[in-house]
Amino acid sequence: EVQLVQSGAEVKKPGESLKISCKGSGYSFTSYWIGWVRQMPGKGLEWMGIIYPGDSDTRYSPSFQGQVTISADKSISTAYLQWSSLKASDTAMYYCARPILDCSGGSCYPYYFDYWGQGTLVTVSS
Amino acid sequence: EIVMTQSPATLSVSPGERATLSCRASQSVSSNLAWYQQKPGQAPRLLIYGASTRATGIPARFSGSGSGTEFTLTISSLQSEDFAVYYCQQYNNWPLYTFGQGTKLEIK
């Protein structure tokens, strides 16, 4: 059974750093991309970026480039989302999700998300 | 960036009735369009991919249609468990996949 288990809720102060995690199991972790999605309080879903743990190829949405860092440790099947200096506006629920991989066109691309983590609530407040 | 626009923002429908949700892309995404359902306190759940293919375990009352820039999610006979927020997502423009802002389906 495919599972994505995220780390627990965090409460931080502005300016602090943070790294949250997403552990994959039940599938070959290095063969699938892992994406991160933000959901601010009462708002919609925002695609942040995505990483391929097999070779650490990472892509970011322009809105999040330079604001967060996505990484992965394939030895422990875990992806990470980190901030070096949190702001109050980073307060949100963060989901990791695994997209299905489509190789029908010769090259392989991640597509829609078929598995999601349970979410990690990050609260940034002074 | 491809902008996905969903309408209406909120849809009020009575149980047993039909609901039609729309999603428009700012440029063609072919059939690379997915729909997700999100209930309060839960992660999103995949409903439809390829614009019209139901995901595993999704009831037949959910159907998707469209291609290019115009897409529709139809729920043929609303059940109580269907009241939720629905999001569309395009996955045509690698690596910048974008979501719509969501449609809240509420009980009338």
PDB file of all heavy atoms in Angstrom, chain A residues 7-41:
ATOM      1  N   SER A   7       5.444  14.820   8.672  1.00  0.00           N
ATOM      2  CA  SER A   7       5.796  15.173  10.036  1.00  0.00           C
ATOM      3  C   SER A   7       4.681  16.016  10.659  1.00  0.00           C
ATOM      4  O   SER A   7       3.778  16.496   9.968  1.00  0.00           O
ATOM      5  CB  SER A   7       7.128  15.914  10.066  1.00  0.00           C
ATOM      6  OG  SER A   7       7.152  16.967   9.121  1.00  0.00           O
ATOM      7  N   GLY A   8       4.770  16.182  11.973  1.00  0.00           N
ATOM      8  CA  GLY A   8       3.689  16.804  12.717  1.00  0.00           C
ATOM      9  C   GLY A   8       3.656  18.324  12.628  1.00  0.00           C
ATOM     10  O   GLY A   8       4.559  18.959  12.093  1.00  0.00           O
ATOM     11  N   ALA A   9       2.591  18.869  13.185  1.00  0.00           N
ATOM     12  CA  ALA A   9       2.373  20.311  13.151  1.00  0.00           C
ATOM     13  C   ALA A   9       3.511  21.067  13.831  1.00  0.00           C
ATOM     14  O   ALA A   9       4.138  20.569  14.773  1.00  0.00           O
ATOM     15  CB  ALA A   9       1.047  20.644  13.827  1.00  0.00           C
ATOM     16  N   GLU A  10       3.768  22.260  13.337  1.00  0.00           N
ATOM     17  CA  GLU A  10       4.856  23.104  13.842  1.00  0.00           C
ATOM     18  C   GLU A  10       4.325  24.490  14.165  1.00  0.00           C
ATOM     19  O   GLU A  10       3.497  25.039  13.440  1.00  0.00           O
ATOM     20  CB  GLU A  10       5.945  23.229  12.772  1.00  0.00           C
ATOM     21  CG  GLU A  10       6.562  21.929  12.306  1.00  0.00           C
ATOM     22  CD  GLU A  10       7.710  21.477  13.194  1.00  0.00           C
ATOM     23  OE1 GLU A  10       8.017  22.162  14.210  1.00  0.00           O
ATOM     24  OE2 GLU A  10       8.324  20.435  12.887  1.00  0.00           O
ATOM     25  N   VAL A  11       4.839  25.045  15.251  1.00  0.00           N
ATOM     26  CA  VAL A  11       4.567  26.439  15.594  1.00  0.00           C
ATOM     27  C   VAL A  11       5.914  27.133  15.709  1.00  0.00           C
ATOM     28  O   VAL A  11       6.772  26.715  16.505  1.00  0.00           O
ATOM     29  CB  VAL A  11       3.789  26.565  16.913  1.00  0.00           C
ATOM     30  CG1 VAL A  11       3.560  28.042  17.232  1.00  0.00           C
ATOM     31  CG2 VAL A  11       2.461  25.825  16.830  1.00  0.00           C
ATOM     32  N   LYS A  12       6.109  28.158  14.916  1.00  0.00           N
ATOM     33  CA  LYS A  12       7.406  28.837  14.847  1.00  0.00           C
ATOM     34  C   LYS A  12       7.222  30.345  14.907  1.00  0.00           C
ATOM     35  O   LYS A  12       6.118  30.866  14.690  1.00  0.00           O
ATOM     36  CB  LYS A  12       8.102  28.481  13.526  1.00  0.00           C
ATOM     37  CG  LYS A  12       8.549  27.025  13.426  1.00  0.00           C
ATOM     38  CD  LYS A  12       9.724  26.775  14.335  1.00  0.00           C
ATOM     39  CE  LYS A  12      10.348  25.433  14.077  1.00  0.00           C
ATOM     40  NZ  LYS A  12      11.520  25.203  14.961  1.00  0.00           N
ATOM     41  N   LYS A  13       8.323  31.023  15.167  1.00  0.00           N
ATOM     42  CA  LYS A  13       8.331  32.489  15.181  1.00  0.00           C
ATOM     43  C   LYS A  13       8.893  33.002  13.861  1.00  0.00           C
ATOM     44  O   LYS A  13       9.708  32.325  13.214  1.00  0.00           O
ATOM     45  CB  LYS A  13       9.160  32.990  16.335  1.00  0.00           C
ATOM     46  CG  LYS A  13       8.567  32.727  17.703  1.00  0.00           C
ATOM     47  CD  LYS A  13       9.413  33.304  18.797  1.00  0.00           C
ATOM     48  CE  LYS A  13       8.824  33.266  20.180  1.00  0.00           C
ATOM     49  NZ  LYS A  13       7.681  32.443  20.423  1.00  0.00           N
ATOM     50  N   PRO A  14       8.493  34.216  13.464  1.00  0.00           N
ATOM     51  CA  PRO A  14       9.060  34.798  12.247  1.00  0.00           C
ATOM     52  C   PRO A  14      10.578  34.843  12.341  1.00  0.00           C
ATOM     53  O   PRO A  14      11.145  35.146  13.404  1.00  0.00           O
ATOM     54  CB  PRO A  14       8.458  36.203  12.229  1.00  0.00           C
ATOM     55  CG  PRO A  14       7.184  36.073  12.980  1.00  0.00           C
ATOM     56  CD  PRO A  14       7.443  35.077  14.060  1.00  0.00           C
ATOM     57  N   GLY A  15      11.221  34.523  11.215  1.00  0.00           N
ATOM     58  CA  GLY A  15      12.677  34.525  11.173  1.00  0.00           C
ATOM     59  C   GLY A  15      13.305  33.185  11.470  1.00  0.00           C
ATOM     60  O   GLY A  15      14.494  32.979  11.173  1.00  0.00           O
ATOM     61  N   GLU A  16      12.556  32.275  12.072  1.00  0.00           N
ATOM     62  CA  GLU A  16      13.106  30.949  12.381  1.00  0.00           C
ATOM     63  C   GLU A  16      13.158  30.075  11.132  1.00  0.00           C
ATOM     64  O   GLU A  16      12.482  30.341  10.139  1.00  0.00           O
ATOM     65  CB  GLU A  16      12.279  30.259  13.466  1.00  0.00           C
ATOM     66  CG  GLU A  16      12.412  30.923  14.829  1.00  0.00           C
ATOM     67  CD  GLU A  16      11.702  30.167  15.938  1.00  0.00           C
ATOM     68  OE1 GLU A  16      10.707  29.464  15.658  1.00  0.00           O
ATOM     69  OE2 GLU A  16      12.144  30.280  17.088  1.00  0.00           O
ATOM     70  N   SER A  17      13.968  29.039  11.211  1.00  0.00           N
ATOM     71  CA  SER A  17      14.053  28.084  10.107  1.00  0.00           C
ATOM     72  C   SER A  17      13.198  26.866  10.414  1.00  0.00           C
ATOM     73  O   SER A  17      12.823  26.619  11.572  1.00  0.00           O
ATOM     74  CB  SER A  17      15.507  27.663   9.893  1.00  0.00           C
ATOM     75  OG  SER A  17      15.990  27.013  11.051  1.00  0.00           O
ATOM     76  N   LEU A  18      12.879  26.105   9.374  1.00  0.00           N
ATOM     77  CA  LEU A  18      12.026  24.940   9.548  1.00  0.00           C
ATOM     78  C   LEU A  18      12.248  23.971   8.396  1.00  0.00           C
ATOM     79  O   LEU A  18      12.448  24.382   7.244  1.00  0.00           O
ATOM     80  CB  LEU A  18      10.551  25.343   9.584  1.00  0.00           C
ATOM     81  CG  LEU A  18       9.523  24.211   9.669  1.00  0.00           C
ATOM     82  CD1 LEU A  18       9.671  23.449  10.989  1.00  0.00           C
ATOM     83  CD2 LEU A  18       8.113  24.757   9.533  1.00  0.00           C
ATOM     84  N   LYS A  19      12.189  22.695   8.723  1.00  0.00           N
ATOM     85  CA  LYS A  19      12.245  21.640   7.708  1.00  0.00           C
ATOM     86  C   LYS A  19      11.167  20.624   8.047  1.00  0.00           C
ATOM     87  O   LYS A  19      11.175  20.043   9.137  1.00  0.00           O
ATOM     88  CB  LYS A  19      13.620  20.973   7.722  1.00  0.00           C
ATOM     89  CG  LYS A  19      13.927  20.085   6.538  1.00  0.00           C
ATOM     90  CD  LYS A  19      15.405  19.632   6.624  1.00  0.00           C
ATOM     91  CE  LYS A  19      15.877  18.942   5.388  1.00  0.00           C
ATOM     92  NZ  LYS A  19      17.315  18.569   5.465  1.00  0.00           N
ATOM     93  N   ILE A  20      10.220  20.408   7.142  1.00  0.00           N
ATOM     94  CA  ILE A  20       9.181  19.399   7.357  1.00  0.00           C
ATOM     95  C   ILE A  20       9.426  18.235   6.405  1.00  0.00           C
ATOM     96  O   ILE A  20      10.094  18.387   5.374  1.00  0.00           O
ATOM     97  CB  ILE A  20       7.757  19.972   7.190  1.00  0.00           C
ATOM     98  CG1 ILE A  20       7.518  20.478   5.774  1.00  0.00           C
ATOM     99  CG2 ILE A  20       7.518  21.081   8.212  1.00  0.00           C
ATOM    100  CD1 ILE A  20       6.076  20.942   5.526  1.00  0.00           C
ATOM    101  N   SER A  21       8.877  17.082   6.754  1.00  0.00           N
ATOM    102  CA  SER A  21       9.220  15.882   6.000  1.00  0.00           C
ATOM    103  C   SER A  21       8.014  15.114   5.511  1.00  0.00           C
ATOM    104  O   SER A  21       6.890  15.294   5.991  1.00  0.00           O
ATOM    105  CB  SER A  21      10.104  14.966   6.860  1.00  0.00           C
ATOM    106  OG  SER A  21       9.360  14.480   7.964  1.00  0.00           O
ATOM    107  N   CYS A  22       8.295  14.228   4.563  1.00  0.00           N
ATOM    108  CA  CYS A  22       7.269  13.390   3.948  1.00  0.00           C
ATOM    109  C   CYS A  22       7.921  12.049   3.632  1.00  0.00           C
ATOM    110  O   CYS A  22       8.797  11.977   2.757  1.00  0.00           O
ATOM    111  CB  CYS A  22       6.772  14.070   2.674  1.00  0.00           C
ATOM    112  SG  CYS A  22       5.718  13.069   1.604  1.00  0.00           S
ATOM    113  N   LYS A  23       7.535  11.009   4.354  1.00  0.00           N
ATOM    114  CA  LYS A  23       8.158   9.699   4.167  1.00  0.00           C
ATOM    115  C   LYS A  23       7.272   8.813   3.311  1.00  0.00           C
ATOM    116  O   LYS A  23       6.096   8.588   3.639  1.00  0.00           O
ATOM    117  CB  LYS A  23       8.413   9.023   5.519  1.00  0.00           C
ATOM    118  CG  LYS A  23       9.133   7.685   5.375  1.00  0.00           C
ATOM    119  CD  LYS A  23       9.503   7.118   6.731  1.00  0.00           C
ATOM    120  CE  LYS A  23      10.150   5.736   6.600  1.00  0.00           C
ATOM    121  NZ  LYS A  23      11.379   5.769   5.785  1.00  0.00           N
ATOM    122  N   GLY A  24       7.825   8.303   2.233  1.00  0.00           N
ATOM    123  CA  GLY A  24       7.087   7.431   1.332  1.00  0.00           C
ATOM    124  C   GLY A  24       7.353   5.967   1.645  1.00  0.00           C
ATOM    125  O   GLY A  24       8.453   5.594   2.050  1.00  0.00           O
ATOM    126  N   SER A  25       6.322   5.154   1.464  1.00  0.00           N
ATOM    127  CA  SER A  25       6.475   3.716   1.647  1.00  0.00           C
ATOM    128  C   SER A  25       5.502   2.987   0.728  1.00  0.00           C
ATOM    129  O   SER A  25       4.538   3.578   0.230  1.00  0.00           O
ATOM    130  CB  SER A  25       6.224   3.310   3.109  1.00  0.00           C
ATOM    131  OG  SER A  25       4.894   3.621   3.484  1.00  0.00           O
ATOM    132  N   GLY A  26       5.782   1.710   0.509  1.00  0.00           N
ATOM    133  CA  GLY A  26       4.892   0.905  -0.318  1.00  0.00           C
ATOM    134  C   GLY A  26       5.146   1.016  -1.808  1.00  0.00           C
ATOM    135  O   GLY A  26       4.364   0.483  -2.602  1.00  0.00           O
ATOM    136  N   TYR A  27       6.208   1.696  -2.189  1.00  0.00           N
ATOM    137  CA  TYR A  27       6.549   1.823  -3.614  1.00  0.00           C
ATOM    138  C   TYR A  27       8.035   2.161  -3.711  1.00  0.00           C
ATOM    139  O   TYR A  27       8.684   2.439  -2.690  1.00  0.00           O
ATOM    140  CB  TYR A  27       5.700   2.894  -4.295  1.00  0.00           C
ATOM    141  CG  TYR A  27       6.014   4.317  -3.900  1.00  0.00           C
ATOM    142  CD1 TYR A  27       6.820   5.130  -4.688  1.00  0.00           C
ATOM    143  CD2 TYR A  27       5.499   4.862  -2.718  1.00  0.00           C
ATOM    144  CE1 TYR A  27       7.113   6.429  -4.330  1.00  0.00           C
ATOM    145  CE2 TYR A  27       5.792   6.165  -2.341  1.00  0.00           C
ATOM    146  CZ  TYR A  27       6.591   6.936  -3.144  1.00  0.00           C
ATOM    147  OH  TYR A  27       6.895   8.237  -2.773  1.00  0.00           O
ATOM    148  N   SER A  28       8.566   2.166  -4.918  1.00  0.00           N
ATOM    149  CA  SER A  28       9.963   2.508  -5.132  1.00  0.00           C
ATOM    150  C   SER A  28      10.132   4.021  -5.067  1.00  0.00           C
ATOM    151  O   SER A  28       9.788   4.749  -6.011  1.00  0.00           O
ATOM    152  CB  SER A  28      10.423   1.996  -6.499  1.00  0.00           C
ATOM    153  OG  SER A  28      11.731   2.452  -6.782  1.00  0.00           O
ATOM    154  N   PHE A  29      10.650   4.506  -3.946  1.00  0.00           N
ATOM    155  CA  PHE A  29      10.711   5.955  -3.685  1.00  0.00           C
ATOM    156  C   PHE A  29      11.521   6.688  -4.744  1.00  0.00           C
ATOM    157  O   PHE A  29      11.212   7.828  -5.092  1.00  0.00           O
ATOM    158  CB  PHE A  29      11.321   6.183  -2.296  1.00  0.00           C
ATOM    159  CG  PHE A  29      11.319   7.612  -1.847  1.00  0.00           C
ATOM    160  CD1 PHE A  29      10.141   8.247  -1.442  1.00  0.00           C
ATOM    161  CD2 PHE A  29      12.503   8.350  -1.813  1.00  0.00           C
ATOM    162  CE1 PHE A  29      10.140   9.566  -1.030  1.00  0.00           C
ATOM    163  CE2 PHE A  29      12.511   9.681  -1.396  1.00  0.00           C
ATOM    164  CZ  PHE A  29      11.325  10.286  -0.997  1.00  0.00           C
ATOM    165  N   THR A  30      12.543   6.054  -5.275  1.00  0.00           N
ATOM    166  CA  THR A  30      13.423   6.738  -6.226  1.00  0.00           C
ATOM    167  C   THR A  30      12.862   6.759  -7.649  1.00  0.00           C
ATOM    168  O   THR A  30      13.460   7.380  -8.531  1.00  0.00           O
ATOM    169  CB  THR A  30      14.812   6.081  -6.255  1.00  0.00           C
ATOM    170  OG1 THR A  30      14.659   4.677  -6.509  1.00  0.00           O
ATOM    171  CG2 THR A  30      15.543   6.296  -4.939  1.00  0.00           C
ATOM    172  N   SER A  31      11.734   6.108  -7.869  1.00  0.00           N
ATOM    173  CA  SER A  31      11.172   6.014  -9.217  1.00  0.00           C
ATOM    174  C   SER A  31      10.010   6.967  -9.469  1.00  0.00           C
ATOM    175  O   SER A  31       9.466   7.003 -10.578  1.00  0.00           O
ATOM    176  CB  SER A  31      10.697   4.574  -9.490  1.00  0.00           C
ATOM    177  OG  SER A  31      11.776   3.675  -9.409  1.00  0.00           O
ATOM    178  N   TYR A  32       9.602   7.708  -8.460  1.00  0.00           N
ATOM    179  CA  TYR A  32       8.468   8.631  -8.599  1.00  0.00           C
ATOM    180  C   TYR A  32       8.847  10.012  -8.076  1.00  0.00           C
ATOM    181  O   TYR A  32       9.566  10.136  -7.085  1.00  0.00           O
ATOM    182  CB  TYR A  32       7.265   8.133  -7.791  1.00  0.00           C
ATOM    183  CG  TYR A  32       6.572   6.930  -8.379  1.00  0.00           C
ATOM    184  CD1 TYR A  32       7.050   5.639  -8.149  1.00  0.00           C
ATOM    185  CD2 TYR A  32       5.432   7.079  -9.165  1.00  0.00           C
ATOM    186  CE1 TYR A  32       6.413   4.538  -8.694  1.00  0.00           C
ATOM    187  CE2 TYR A  32       4.778   5.981  -9.704  1.00  0.00           C
ATOM    188  CZ  TYR A  32       5.280   4.719  -9.462  1.00  0.00           C
ATOM    189  OH  TYR A  32       4.649   3.628  -9.992  1.00  0.00           O
ATOM    190  N   TRP A  33       8.326  11.041  -8.716  1.00  0.00           N
ATOM    191  CA  TRP A  33       8.460  12.405  -8.216  1.00  0.00           C
ATOM    192  C   TRP A  33       7.620  12.562  -6.940  1.00  0.00           C
ATOM    193  O   TRP A  33       6.672  11.822  -6.708  1.00  0.00           O
ATOM    194  CB  TRP A  33       7.989  13.406  -9.258  1.00  0.00           C
ATOM    195  CG  TRP A  33       8.805  13.439 -10.512  1.00  0.00           C
ATOM    196  CD1 TRP A  33       8.806  12.522 -11.520  1.00  0.00           C
ATOM    197  CD2 TRP A  33       9.738  14.458 -10.900  1.00  0.00           C
ATOM    198  NE1 TRP A  33       9.681  12.902 -12.514  1.00  0.00           N
ATOM    199  CE2 TRP A  33      10.258  14.085 -12.156  1.00  0.00           C
ATOM    200  CE3 TRP A  33      10.162  15.662 -10.315  1.00  0.00           C
ATOM    201  CZ2 TRP A  33      11.202  14.876 -12.830  1.00  0.00           C
ATOM    202  CZ3 TRP A  33      11.097  16.440 -10.983  1.00  0.00           C
ATOM    203  CH2 TRP A  33      11.612  16.039 -12.229  1.00  0.00           C
ATOM    204  N   ILE A  34       7.984  13.554  -6.142  1.00  0.00           N
ATOM    205  CA  ILE A  34       7.177  13.957  -4.988  1.00  0.00           C
ATOM    206  C   ILE A  34       6.977  15.464  -5.091  1.00  0.00           C
ATOM    207  O   ILE A  34       7.954  16.222  -5.239  1.00  0.00           O
ATOM    208  CB  ILE A  34       7.882  13.646  -3.649  1.00  0.00           C
ATOM    209  CG1 ILE A  34       7.907  12.148  -3.403  1.00  0.00           C
ATOM    210  CG2 ILE A  34       7.161  14.360  -2.498  1.00  0.00           C
ATOM    211  CD1 ILE A  34       6.687  11.583  -2.746  1.00  0.00           C
ATOM    212  N   GLY A  35       5.723  15.895  -5.003  1.00  0.00           N
ATOM    213  CA  GLY A  35       5.425  17.311  -5.078  1.00  0.00           C
ATOM    214  C   GLY A  35       4.976  17.873  -3.734  1.00  0.00           C
ATOM    215  O   GLY A  35       4.621  17.119  -2.810  1.00  0.00           O
ATOM    216  N   TRP A  36       5.039  19.204  -3.640  1.00  0.00           N
ATOM    217  CA  TRP A  36       4.553  19.901  -2.441  1.00  0.00           C
ATOM    218  C   TRP A  36       3.481  20.910  -2.852  1.00  0.00           C
ATOM    219  O   TRP A  36       3.627  21.611  -3.864  1.00  0.00           O
ATOM    220  CB  TRP A  36       5.694  20.613  -1.722  1.00  0.00           C
ATOM    221  CG  TRP A  36       6.623  19.672  -1.016  1.00  0.00           C
ATOM    222  CD1 TRP A  36       7.786  19.138  -1.495  1.00  0.00           C
ATOM    223  CD2 TRP A  36       6.465  19.142   0.299  1.00  0.00           C
ATOM    224  NE1 TRP A  36       8.356  18.303  -0.560  1.00  0.00           N
ATOM    225  CE2 TRP A  36       7.565  18.299   0.555  1.00  0.00           C
ATOM    226  CE3 TRP A  36       5.500  19.296   1.308  1.00  0.00           C
ATOM    227  CZ2 TRP A  36       7.730  17.617   1.763  1.00  0.00           C
ATOM    228  CZ3 TRP A  36       5.659  18.621   2.509  1.00  0.00           C
ATOM    229  CH2 TRP A  36       6.767  17.789   2.731  1.00  0.00           C
ATOM    230  N   VAL A  37       2.435  20.972  -2.040  1.00  0.00           N
ATOM    231  CA  VAL A  37       1.284  21.830  -2.313  1.00  0.00           C
ATOM    232  C   VAL A  37       0.959  22.640  -1.063  1.00  0.00           C
ATOM    233  O   VAL A  37       0.897  22.078   0.037  1.00  0.00           O
ATOM    234  CB  VAL A  37       0.058  20.986  -2.727  1.00  0.00           C
ATOM    235  CG1 VAL A  37      -1.176  21.864  -2.918  1.00  0.00           C
ATOM    236  CG2 VAL A  37       0.356  20.194  -4.000  1.00  0.00           C
ATOM    237  N   ARG A  38       0.775  23.927  -1.231  1.00  0.00           N
ATOM    238  CA  ARG A  38       0.429  24.790  -0.100  1.00  0.00           C
ATOM    239  C   ARG A  38      -1.064  25.087  -0.103  1.00  0.00           C
ATOM    240  O   ARG A  38      -1.671  25.273  -1.166  1.00  0.00           O
ATOM    241  CB  ARG A  38       1.190  26.115  -0.177  1.00  0.00           C
ATOM    242  CG  ARG A  38       0.921  27.046   1.007  1.00  0.00           C
ATOM    243  CD  ARG A  38       1.782  28.297   0.956  1.00  0.00           C
ATOM    244  NE  ARG A  38       1.274  29.293   0.020  1.00  0.00           N
ATOM    245  CZ  ARG A  38       1.792  30.515  -0.115  1.00  0.00           C
ATOM    246  NH1 ARG A  38       2.827  30.870   0.625  1.00  0.00           N
ATOM    247  NH2 ARG A  38       1.274  31.367  -0.983  1.00  0.00           N
ATOM    248  N   GLN A  39      -1.627  25.157   1.102  1.00  0.00           N
ATOM    249  CA  GLN A  39      -3.011  25.596   1.264  1.00  0.00           C
ATOM    250  C   GLN A  39      -3.070  26.568   2.428  1.00  0.00           C
ATOM    251  O   GLN A  39      -3.034  26.155   3.596  1.00  0.00           O
ATOM    252  CB  GLN A  39      -3.962  24.431   1.460  1.00  0.00           C
ATOM    253  CG  GLN A  39      -5.429  24.853   1.458  1.00  0.00           C
ATOM    254  CD  GLN A  39      -6.375  23.684   1.338  1.00  0.00           C
ATOM    255  OE1 GLN A  39      -6.178  22.628   1.927  1.00  0.00           O
ATOM    256  NE2 GLN A  39      -7.423  23.851   0.538  1.00  0.00           N
ATOM    257  N   MET A  40      -3.169  27.832   2.120  1.00  0.00           N
ATOM    258  CA  MET A  40      -3.278  28.845   3.161  1.00  0.00           C
ATOM    259  C   MET A  40      -4.664  28.770   3.801  1.00  0.00           C
ATOM    260  O   MET A  40      -5.592  28.231   3.186  1.00  0.00           O
ATOM    261  CB  MET A  40      -2.990  30.225   2.577  1.00  0.00           C
ATOM    262  CG  MET A  40      -1.571  30.315   2.015  1.00  0.00           C
ATOM    263  SD  MET A  40      -1.187  31.881   1.237  1.00  0.00           S
ATOM    264  CE  MET A  40      -0.954  32.920   2.667  1.00  0.00           C
ATOM    265  N   PRO A  41      -4.814  29.280   5.018  1.00  0.00           N
ATOM    266  CA  PRO A  41      -6.087  29.138   5.734  1.00  0.00           C
ATOM    267  C   PRO A  41      -7.282  29.615   4.911  1.00  0.00           C
ATOM    268  O   PRO A  41      -7.309  30.764   4.459  1.00  0.00           O
ATOM    269  CB  PRO A  41      -5.880  30.000   6.975  1.00  0.00           C
ATOM    270  CG  PRO A  41      -4.409  29.994   7.201  1.00  0.00           C
ATOM    271  CD  PRO A  41      -3.794  29.974   5.848  1.00  0.00           C
TER     272      PRO A  41
END
